[in-house]
Each structure stands twice: as structure tokens, then as C-alpha cells.
Amino acid sequence: MEQLTTSLAPPRANPKPSVTNASQQVAGSVAKRLTNELMTLMMSSSPGISAFPKSDGNLFEWVGTIEGPAETIYAGLSFRISISFPANYPYVAPTIKFDTPCFHPNVDINSGAICLDILQDKWSAVYSVQTILLSLQSLLGEPNNASPLNTDAAAIWDTPDAFKMQLLKHYRPLKDSA
Amino acid sequence: MAGDALRAQVTARWQEGFTRLNRAEPGISGLIAYSEAWNIATDFLRPRDISDPSDAPDLATVKAAFDLINRSRRLPVMLETYLDAICNQFHLIIQDIDRYLAEYEQSGDTAVVLQLVFRLVMWYRAWAPIEELGPTIRAAYTLTFQTRLFSILPPAFVRGFKALCASTLVPTAQHAPTMWEAFEVLGMTDRYEGIIASVGYERIEQYVRETCAGKWDTPCLEALRAWMTGQIVPWMLPMYAKGALNTEDARGMLQNVGSRFDFHMNKTLCDLRTSEIFDIIIDFPDSSGALQDLKECLQRVDQRAMLVQALRKANRKRLLHPGADTKLILSQYVATIRCLRIVDPPGVLLFKVADPIRRYLRERPDTIRSIVANLVGDDDSGDSLVDENEPIQPLQQLEIDDYNDPNWDPEPIDAGPDFRTNKPSDVISTLVSIYDSKDLFVKELQVLLAQRLLAITDENFEKVEKERRNIEILKIRFGEAALQVCEVMLKDMTDSKRIDSHVQSQKASILHPTIISRHFWPSLESSDIVMPGQFQALQNEYAKEFSTFKPDKRLRWLSHLGTVHLELQLQDRVVEADVPPLEAAFIELFSEKNIWTMDELIDGVGAVDRPAALRALITWIDLGVIKEDEVNTFRLLEVAEEAAPSSRIASVAVEEPMMSAAQQQLADQMRLYWKFIEGMLTNLGTLPLDRIQTMLRFAPGYDQTIEQLAGFMEAARREGLVVVRDGMWKLNR
């Protein structure tokens, strides 16, 4: 009986050592890819987007900054996002959310979760941090109101004055410390 | 009771001794005869002063006496008494020695020493026992005599002895055979073998130094060997091959000592060449003889470490210091490569010697430039590093050991752990390998080529062909791909020529631009000067013609490059000059009005820094065309004036060359690091310096210390890019 319950128990949290080794190897190649992406991102001077690993020990957690594109309602605002890469990146999309509250039809105002097709079902390994950041930047100016995550925001998108008021009510400017 | 026993024993002994001495003669007559014999014998044997003549004893009587003693078995005692007597009489010899040596000390004549030796032989002979006593007694005598003799010979004698031996090295020495005999008799050859050998060694050293020092053009070793055979071997013969019956015998006896002498000769020559090695390398290839010698000597004498040490020391002292020109260091390095390859083909010596040179060269800023300049044959002195006969080969990359190589040799025994066999690689490969990559060279090559191409004017356009030939040769070395950019640059030159002739055919112009493809040329020093007046008109006209010819392209003038041929028509004279564009621009401005201030002039040509402007104006002042009336105000001299002593004598900085490739690379790298710093500060807000340092780990090839980073950040702060508060850095925005 006891055997039965143990077999039914959820798999142990700690994977076997051999699995760890394999995943470490994979992590090595992922780390290499991420290093390259960082290098490309640093060298390309795309205005208004930027990202960097949170700490020198962990290449899988990044912090990003997106400036609202000019001539949109978000112009002049900067948003901080967090990017978390899975161990099997780039086969699986990174998890991205807004840390700065962002009043936007496709962004959850509380959790910061983003509804963007390339981060979900349309993800492809050819995308990179840079393309994600660029997509997010353009998403700010051109929301997809057809599948809103924040229905309030989607509802008042067409009235810029009201939208701006809501946006600024939630927005908090970036602080210096990470 | 014990006393009785003792008494009995003594009596028995006494009786026995008596019987032996009395030999059963009646009464004590035997005993008397014995004492007589003893007296005769000791008197005969007693060492006498040889200066006193004495009558020859009657040999028959003496013999009979010895016989009697022998029969009484008293010979050992006799011998002891005799040897004691010798010791007692030795003061006679000491007197003689002192006398001779005093004379020698005074005159310094080795003949005196020789006389002393002969005198000693006389003493020895005079005191020697007669043959009839048998070899045992003779040997005992010789031993005692020699021991005694050597114990009293003062140091002065050893000096004299050495001098005497040395004097026999002169081939005219007559007395040599008898002298060696005398030495032999006295046991001096064995006793003073070391001294005699050292005489030989010293002679060899002296001779090698005399004949070979500074004589590097032909190998000396052959001649030295001949000299050894002719001079030293005959000298050695009486000593080391004594008693040799025939040449075969003598050769066998000499073999051991001969090889010692030969070794010494090699060692001496090796020492000499080692001390001269730096100059030998300078003299290369006129010193190949010396190098051959050195090679042979090193095989015999293991002094490779010493050679390395000597050369490294000489290099440090004479070559690797700020006073030496980079070109000089390079050519000495190349000569070192060639020389040490002769001495040690596997290259271990070279590797050890070259290491400090290479490290030093890497620190010099103009090393690459010098090498590249030499590659393209920049210096016309003809003193090329590259041997023209050496075939041009592609650069060799570091090879990993080929395990299938049937000719593989293990590394030489004295090779260090990081030794790399540089198989017969050519000099250029070796030079290029001073740096980790050849990219630096390719970049520098581009810069240099750009300079040279831009200096080409219509009159010497054929030089382009020369450059092309150079590049073709360099392609073999560096590979086609690496020099593609150079190829484009050369193509630009010919294209310019073609475009120019087309434009000229449409609308003749005195302007002949070189049209370059910006992306493929090294960053040229930029300048914002705008040519005034007629120059601008010319440029615009040309540009218009060009854009009709090539509609999709646009000319951007680099007005500050090139030369202008001017003819200035002034009231009283015509001045002709070939000047840089800035000078031309200024003088063009003077055609508008005669007096200009410095600031007006600078405004007139757009933007130019003051030193450059001043330099341009001084050119005209020197030509007597304008004059600085008061500070910063210039007047055109329509009528020539007496040249006033110029108040500003060319206090002008030398023209700065375009950024060297190494500097450029460093700047590129710092730009890359800055991007990373900017990235992390944007996203992570404020960071302390050590955090920035650890985060820069993400930047490829980051190798700066935290001190260097601090300096860099400080520079960025001065430029207003970042601010720092309480040790926390943040972007300034």
C-alpha cells in the first residue's frame, strides 16, 4: 500500500545527477547563445531599447528597459521589464513581464504579463532578445485590441486623453536602483 | 717467580741476537766483524754534501760489509738508519734550493729553475744507494727523498716550475728532453701534473684569444686543431707519452690527455664566441664562420645555457632600451633568428633568446608599423629585414604536432615547457607571430597603404602599380581574404583615374580627385574645412559632373587632403607654390581683402583648429606672402618686404600620423566596453565599481584591471557621460 502511494506521489523535486549534468551542458550552449545575444544587443544601437543580465552569476535573468516610442501616447515614459530565459531557450520563448506598471490593452496591469503572439504560440528560435524588445516597443504604440488582457485599457484606447490619464495614474517613474 | 721467567726470556733473546750477529764464529770475533761491516756500510751510505769531494770508497769492501749485514738479517735496521740520515742531511739540499730560488726571484730567469732541477737530480743521484742493494731499498729511498723534497719546496718553486714549463712551449727550447728526464727522476711529472696541464691550458687560451678574437669571417676551429697538432702535441709527448716505443703507442697514451686538451680548446673558443655573440650577430652574415665554430664547439662543450644567458644579458643591456630604434631592434632580432638557426637548428636557443625581445617589441607602439613598412618596402635604404632570396610563403600558423610524421623528433632536452618548434618558418611569419593575430598587421597595412595611395598624384600614378605588386606579394603571405580591403583601395585608385578622365572629357577641370569608397578605407582624419571661393566652385562643378556619370553616388569632399598648385599674382611678383588645401583656402580668402584676423580666417574656412591654422599661415609667412602685423592679424604683402625675423619660429608640432592600428584596436575595444557599461547602467541603475568590473565579464575579451576600469570611468565622467556619488556610478541623463 505504501509502495503504491509513493509511486503515485509527484516526481521528486531533485532530478537525478545525470540529468543535472545533461542540463548543465545544455545550459552551457544556452549561455553561449545568450552571451552572443547580449553582445549583439550592446553593439546594435537601437534607440530606446536595452537589456542586461541582472547579476554576473546568472545569465538567465535579465532586466530590460523600453522607452515609449516617439509620437505615441507612451512617448517620454520608460518601462522596466524582466526577462527570464528557460533552460531550453531558444526552443521555448523567454518569460517576459512588465515591472513598471503599464496601462496597456495587452498588458496585465497587476502582474505585468504580456499578451503578444511571438511570446506565445508564434515563438520561433530565430527571434532574439533584440527582436522581442523591438516588438514590445512597437506593441506600445500599436496594441492588439482584438484580444485584450486589460479590457479597461482596450475600451478607452480610442480616447487618448482618458487613456493618458489612466496611464499616468498607474505609471511610476524608474528608480535608479535595480 | 715472574722475575725468573722474565729473566729467562731476556737471556734467551740476548743469546739469540748474539748468535745471529756472531754467526757461530769463535768468541766474539763474529760480533767484531759485524760492527766493522756496519760502520763501513753506514759510512758508505751516509748522505754527503756533494760540494765536498770525497774519495771513492772501495766497492769490494763495501759489498762484503753489506753481505755480512744481510746475513745477520740487520738490513732493515740498516735501511732505517740510512733514511734517518737522509732526513738529517736534508738541510744541505734546502740551502741549495733557497740559494737558487733567491736567484730566480731576482732575475726571473727560468734557466735558474732548470739549474735547480738539475742540481736536485745530482743530489738525488749522489745519495742513492747502489744498485746491488736491490729495488726495495731504492724504492724506499726514492719515496723518502721525494716526500722530503716536496715538503720543503716553497711556493716560489711552483711558480718558477710553471714558468719553466711554459718556456718549453717555445719550439726553440733546446734542453727540453733532459729537463723532462730530470722531472721524471724527481717524480715531478706526477706531482705537478696539474701545473703542467694548466700551462698547456693557459697556452691554449692565450693562443685562441690572440688568433680568434674578433675574427669571425672564417671558421677558426680547423686552424686551431692544426696548431694543436703542430705545437701542443710535440710538447706533450715527453711528458704524457714517455716510454712510448712507436707512434702507435704514443697515440694511445696521448688519447686521453689529448681529448682533454681538445676539449679545453673548444671550451675556450666557445667562451670567447659567447662573449662576442652580440657583435657576431650584428656582423651577420659576415660572421658566419664564427657561428660555424660556435655550433661545433657547443656540440662538444655543453654551454648552451651560458650562451643564452650571455645573449639575453647583452640584448637587455644593448638592445632593449628606449635608446634603440624599433627598426634596429627588429633587424637585430631577424639577425638573431638567422644566426641562432645556424648554431642550433631545432631553435631552442632561439626560443629562449627571442622571448624577451618579442615581449619588448610587443610593448613598443611602432613595432607593427615598422614591420609593415618593411613588408611594403617603405624604406628606400634597401636594408630590408626580409631576405629577397627567401621564397615568399604563406604565414605559418601554429602547428599541432603531427603524430603521423615519420620524421618526428622529440623536443631537445633543454627545451622549456612552452617551447614550440618553429619549423623552418620564414622570418616574416616569426615577426608576425610576435602578436597574437595577424589582423593588426592587416589593419596597419591598410592604414599605410591609404597613406601611400593618397600621396600619389597624377604625375607619379605609376606608383599605384608598384603598390599593387606589393599587395600581390603580401597576399601570398597573409592570404587573399585578408587583403581584400587593400584590393578595393587599389581598385578605387584606378577607378578614380578612369572616372576622372571621363569627367574631364565632359567638362575639363583642374581638379583631379581621388574617389575612395569610404567603407573600405581606414578612418581618415576628418576635418570640417570648407574650401572658399573658386575652390568651392571647382568642387561643385566636378561633383555635378560626377553625379551625372554615377547617378546613384554622391561625392563627399575631404578638402583637407591633397595638394594644390597655386600661382599667386601679386603686384610686384608671382609666387608659385605647392601647398596643402588649407593653405590654399587661406590665401584664397586674402584675395577678398588684404587684412584678416585669425578668427576671421578660421570662420572663413569653416572649422579648423588653431594650431593647424597657424601652421598654414606660417607657410605663407615663410614664403613672404603674408605678414603678421600684430598678434593674430595678418596682412597680404602685395609688395614684397624685407623678411623680418619671424617672431614665431616654427613652433609647430610635427604632423601626427593617422592612428596606428594597435591604438585603433584599443579604442575599438574601449568603445565596446563602454556599450556594455552603458547597457548595465541603463537597466540596473546605479552600480559600484566592483559590480561593473564583475558584470563586464559578459563583454568578450574583457581583460582590464579594476584600476584601469576606474581610470576609464573617470574619463567618462569628465566627458559628462556618467556621474558618481558615494562610489555609485550612474548614467548622466
Side-chain angles (χ1 to χ4, degrees):
Chain A
M1 194 60 200
E2 198 184 343
Q3 275 185 343
L4 188 67
T5 40
T6 33
S7 65
L8 284 174
R12 270 163 295 180
N14 297 354
K16 284 174 197 158
S18 60
V19 178
T20 327
N21 272 345
S23 71
Q24 264 168 5
Q25 271 172 16
V26 173
S29 73
V30 178
K32 200 168 166 197
R33 154 112 184 193
L34 288 174
T35 312
N36 282 339
E37 284 201 18
L38 180 63
M39 177 75 185
T40 325
L41 186 64
M42 289 298 114
M43 293 320 286
S44 71
S45 42
S46 325
I49 58 162
S50 172
F52 209 81
K54 219 180 247 176
S55 72
D56 56 313
N58 187 359
L59 204 52
F60 288 78
E61 298 290 336
W62 289 25
V63 178
T65 309
I66 298 174
E67 287 172 23
E71 293 166 22
T72 68
I73 205 151
Y74 294 92
L77 304 181
S78 292
F79 295 90
R80 188 136 292 161
I81 59 169
S82 63
I83 310 170
S84 173
F85 295 94
N88 48 357
Y89 181 80
Y91 303 108
V92 173
T95 312
I96 299 183
K97 65 186 192 64
F98 274 88
D99 284 349
T100 311
C102 179
F103 188 75
H104 185 277
N106 304 110
V107 178
D108 186 79
I109 190 73
N110 295 315
S111 68
I114 303 160
C115 178
L116 180 62
D117 52 357
I118 65 159
L119 290 178
Q120 276 106 26
D121 50 336
K122 295 274 177 61
W123 169 256
S124 147
V126 298
Y127 292 133
S128 66
V129 180
Q130 194 180 6
T131 53
I132 294 168
L133 290 173
L134 282 171
S135 307
L136 284 177
Q137 198 182 27
S138 64
L139 182 72
L140 286 179
E142 297 152 16
N144 179 5
N145 282 322
S147 64
L149 207 59
N150 182 342
T151 42
D152 297 345
I156 58 170
W157 174 256
D158 292 328
T159 51
D161 288 343
F163 191 92
K164 181 104 190 189
M165 215 164 77
Q166 284 297 314
L167 173 64
L168 290 180
K169 202 177 99 189
H170 290 97
Y171 180 74
R172 275 182 281 117
L174 298 187
K175 280 185 301 227
D176 274 335
S177 60
Chain B
M1 284 294 106
D4 285 349
L6 189 63
R7 201 171 299 129
Q9 208 171 358
V10 170
T11 318
R13 281 281 165 118
W14 168 260
Q15 204 55 45
E16 189 198 346
F18 176 78
T19 334
R20 200 171 60 214
L21 294 181
N22 207 22
R23 300 177 314 282
E25 295 282 318
I28 57 161
S29 63
L31 194 57
I32 293 168
Y34 169 76
S35 358
E36 213 165 293
W38 176 269
N39 281 340
I40 293 171
T42 43
D43 186 53
F44 169 70
L45 282 178
R46 199 183 62 233
R48 291 181 182 77
D49 187 348
I50 50 171
S51 315
D52 287 340
S54 60
D55 359 310
D58 177 12
L59 271 180
T61 334
V62 173
K63 251 192 180 144
F66 276 121
D67 231 24
L68 188 63
I69 292 171
N70 193 17
R71 259 185 291 130
S72 310
R73 283 179 287 154
R74 297 301 289 167
L75 217 47
V77 184
M78 169 89 227
L79 180 62
E80 254 168 59
T81 323
Y82 163 57
L83 293 182
D84 276 349
I86 287 176
C87 291
N88 290 337
Q89 290 294 313
F90 229 83
H91 62 91
L92 294 171
I93 298 180
I94 295 175
Q95 275 172 13
D96 253 10
I97 292 173
D98 286 347
R99 195 154 47 79
Y100 278 103
L101 281 182
E103 196 184 328
Y104 168 67
E105 294 275 288
Q106 235 171 25
S107 64
D109 186 0
T110 51
V112 179
V113 182
L114 189 61
Q115 279 166 22
L116 171 60
V117 170
F118 287 148
R119 180 79 179 164
L120 288 172
V121 173
M122 277 166 74
W123 280 107
Y124 173 80
R125 295 232 163 95
W127 289 4
I130 47 169
E131 295 289 339
E132 284 77 1
L133 284 177
T136 320
I137 292 184
R138 250 193 116 76
Y141 162 73
T142 310
L143 183 68
T144 313
F145 187 87
Q146 286 179 1
T147 313
R148 201 67 204 162
L149 177 66
F150 293 137
S151 72
I152 53 128
L153 280 176
F157 174 77
V158 178
R159 278 200 301 279
F161 182 77
K162 204 168 162 185
L164 176 62
C165 290
S167 74
T168 57
L169 274 167
V170 186
T172 51
Q174 298 295 327
H175 47 263
T178 43
M179 183 189 87
W180 288 112
E181 236 168 78
F183 287 170
E184 192 54 40
V185 169
L186 292 174
M188 282 178 171
T189 29
D190 291 334
R191 167 84 182 181
Y192 291 128
E193 194 189 349
I195 291 173
I196 297 169
S198 78
V199 166
Y201 290 159
E202 273 165 29
R203 174 71 187 136
I204 290 172
E205 278 167 33
Q206 184 200 359
Y207 183 78
V208 169
R209 294 234 169 77
E210 268 170 17
T211 51
C212 302
K215 194 163 157 280
W216 303 325
D217 47 348
T218 47
C220 298
L221 221 43
E222 271 316 300
L224 285 177
R225 291 236 164 84
W227 173 77
M228 288 276 282
T229 326
Q231 301 281 317
I232 300 294
V233 172
W235 176 79
M236 286 174 0
L237 275 174
M239 174 174 37
Y240 293 104
K242 58 198 173 211
L245 300 174
N246 48 29
T247 25
E248 210 47 45
D249 233 12
R251 189 165 302 147
M253 286 168 149
L254 279 179
Q255 192 149 46
N256 189 18
V257 66
S259 72
R260 252 175 31 222
F261 274 75
D262 187 55
F263 177 86
H264 194 75
M265 184 191 74
N266 276 297
K267 181 169 154 25
T268 310
L269 187 61
C270 189
D271 284 346
L272 179 70
R273 293 295 182 239
T274 302
S275 67
E276 294 172 329
I277 184 72
F278 190 83
D279 295 290
I280 291 178
I281 292 175
I282 289 180
D283 259 27
F284 187 80
D286 296 333
S287 57
S288 48
L291 292 165
Q292 283 300 340
D293 280 350
L294 193 56
K295 179 182 180 183
E296 234 176 285
C297 289
L298 281 176
Q299 282 163 356
R300 192 94 216 277
V301 188
D302 186 27
Q303 296 197 331
R304 292 157 63 94
M306 255 180 247
L307 179 69
V308 169
Q309 227 169 24
L311 190 51
R312 279 175 77 136
K313 199 172 152 205
N315 278 339
R316 203 164 52 235
K317 200 171 147 207
R318 296 178 61 179
L319 192 65
L320 306 180
H321 56 74
D325 194 29
T326 305
K327 256 175 70 184
L328 202 99
I329 299 178
L330 279 173
S331 60
Q332 180 74 359
Y333 176 39
V334 170
T336 307
I337 294 174
R338 296 223 169 92
C339 290
L340 292 188
R341 270 213 199 121
I342 295 178
V343 175
D344 171 53
V348 179
L349 294 186
L350 176 62
F351 183 78
K352 290 181 175 171
V353 171
D355 200 42
I357 306 182
R358 292 164 66 89
R359 252 182 290 136
Y360 184 82
L361 280 174
R362 216 173 304 162
E363 284 167 16
R364 283 230 167 179
D366 56 340
T367 302
I368 297 187
R369 187 170 293 255
S370 300
I371 296 173
V372 172
N374 213 291
L375 280 182
V376 298
D378 201 23
D379 45 4
D380 301 320
S381 59
D383 189 21
S384 176
L385 294 176
V386 191
D387 187 356
E388 262 145 48
N389 301 323
E390 207 170 278
I392 300 161
Q393 318 171 328
L395 286 186
Q396 284 155 349
Q397 297 299 326
L398 252 180
E399 284 171 27
I400 303 162
D401 279 339
D402 179 5
Y403 294 107
N404 297 323
D405 184 0
N407 299 321
W408 181 84
D409 278 328
E411 280 175 0
I413 194 150
D414 53 347
D418 48 354
F419 171 74
R420 301 182 307 230
T421 12
N422 45 351
K423 297 255 166 57
S425 63
D426 68 333
V427 169
I428 292 301
S429 297
T430 316
L431 287 180
V432 171
S433 70
I434 290 177
Y435 293 87
D436 293 331
S437 79
K438 63 177 181 181
D439 297 357
L440 285 173
F441 286 87
V442 174
K443 266 192 190 154
E444 186 66 42
L445 194 63
Q446 288 163 11
V447 171
L448 202 74
L449 184 67
Q451 275 174 346
R452 290 156 67 87
L453 288 180
L454 289 179
I456 289 173
T457 59
D458 277 351
E459 285 89 59
N460 51 10
F461 198 78
E462 70 280 356
K463 272 197 181 164
V464 174
E465 277 317 303
K466 198 180 140 221
E467 298 297 340
R468 188 184 303 282
R469 213 170 42 244
N470 261 331
I471 294 296
E472 288 300 327
I473 293 173
L474 289 173
K475 264 189 199 164
I476 304 176
R477 293 194 190 282
F478 287 92
E480 190 98 14
L483 293 187
Q484 213 165 11
V485 170
C486 295
E487 192 73 352
V488 174
M489 286 160 70
L490 285 169
K491 189 165 176 298
D492 275 351
M493 291 305 286
T494 37
D495 281 358
S496 299
K497 185 87 177 160
R498 205 162 42 77
I499 293 168
D500 188 51
S501 58
H502 174 82
V503 172
Q504 299 288 354
S505 71
Q506 298 298 310
K507 188 169 173 31
S509 168
I510 53 165
L511 196 59
H512 298 285
T514 301
I515 298 154
I516 64 176
S517 318
R518 187 163 60 91
H519 282 293
F520 292 91
W521 287 63
S523 52
L524 298 167
E525 132 194 48
S526 68
S527 159
D528 300 324
I529 64 170
V530 180
M531 297 302 279
Q534 54 172 328
F535 297 116
Q536 188 156 27
L538 281 170
Q539 285 180 342
N540 290 344
E541 246 171 55
Y542 198 99
K544 219 175 96 202
E545 228 21 82
F546 178 81
S547 50
T548 48
F549 181 52
K550 295 223 173 225
D552 53 339
K553 297 211 174 136
R554 195 167 60 84
L555 280 183
R556 200 169 73 193
W557 298 95
L558 293 171
S559 301
H560 57 294
L561 299 174
T563 54
V564 183
H565 180 77
L566 283 176
E567 199 181 292
L568 305 179
Q569 293 189 337
L570 301 166
Q571 272 177 15
D572 62 336
R573 64 200 190 281
V574 174
V575 177
E576 278 196 50
D578 279 307
V579 289
L582 184 61
E583 272 86 334
F586 280 148
I587 212 67
E588 172 73 13
L589 289 174
F590 277 101
S591 64
E592 292 171 27
K593 59 175 185 171
N594 278 353
I595 295 172
W596 290 79
T597 65
M598 180 74 112
D599 293 325
E600 285 173 329
L601 284 170
I602 290 174
D603 284 346
V605 294
V608 63
D609 57 4
R610 287 182 84 88
L614 187 62
R615 202 152 57 216
L617 288 167
I618 283 174
T619 312
W620 291 121
I621 294 174
D622 286 347
L623 287 169
V625 177
I626 59 174
K627 187 179 174 189
E628 187 174 20
D629 278 339
E630 40 197 286
V631 175
N632 287 338
T633 307
F634 300 89
R635 179 166 59 86
L636 182 69
L637 298 178
E638 281 285 2
V639 178
E641 277 180 20
E642 279 297 303
S646 172
S647 57
R648 293 192 190 191
I649 300 161
S651 60
V652 179
V654 230
E655 204 159 320
E656 279 171 35
M658 279 186 268
M659 230 189 220
S660 83
Q663 279 170 319
Q664 182 130 28
Q665 207 185 30
L666 189 72
D668 281 351
Q669 221 156 33
M670 285 328 280
R671 210 169 301 137
L672 170 76
Y673 299 152
W674 169 246
K675 290 272 191 197
F676 274 81
I677 295 170
E678 200 179 21
M680 70 179 83
L681 290 179
T682 307
N683 294 295
L684 306 177
T686 64
L687 290 175
L689 194 64
D690 53 346
R691 243 343 252 304
I692 298 177
Q693 174 77 2
T694 50
M695 293 294 255
L696 274 173
R697 198 167 71 78
F698 291 124
Y702 182 73
D703 57 353
Q704 310 287 305
T705 64
I706 191 153
E707 285 79 21
Q708 284 170 313
L709 176 69
F712 179 67
M713 292 302 287
E714 190 49 39
R717 189 187 63 78
R718 277 197 299 276
E719 285 192 33
L721 296 169
V722 287
V723 290
V724 59
R725 180 182 297 160
D726 301 335
M728 301 292 277
W729 295 86
K730 74 178 234 196
L731 288 178
N732 186 18
R733 51 172 89 198

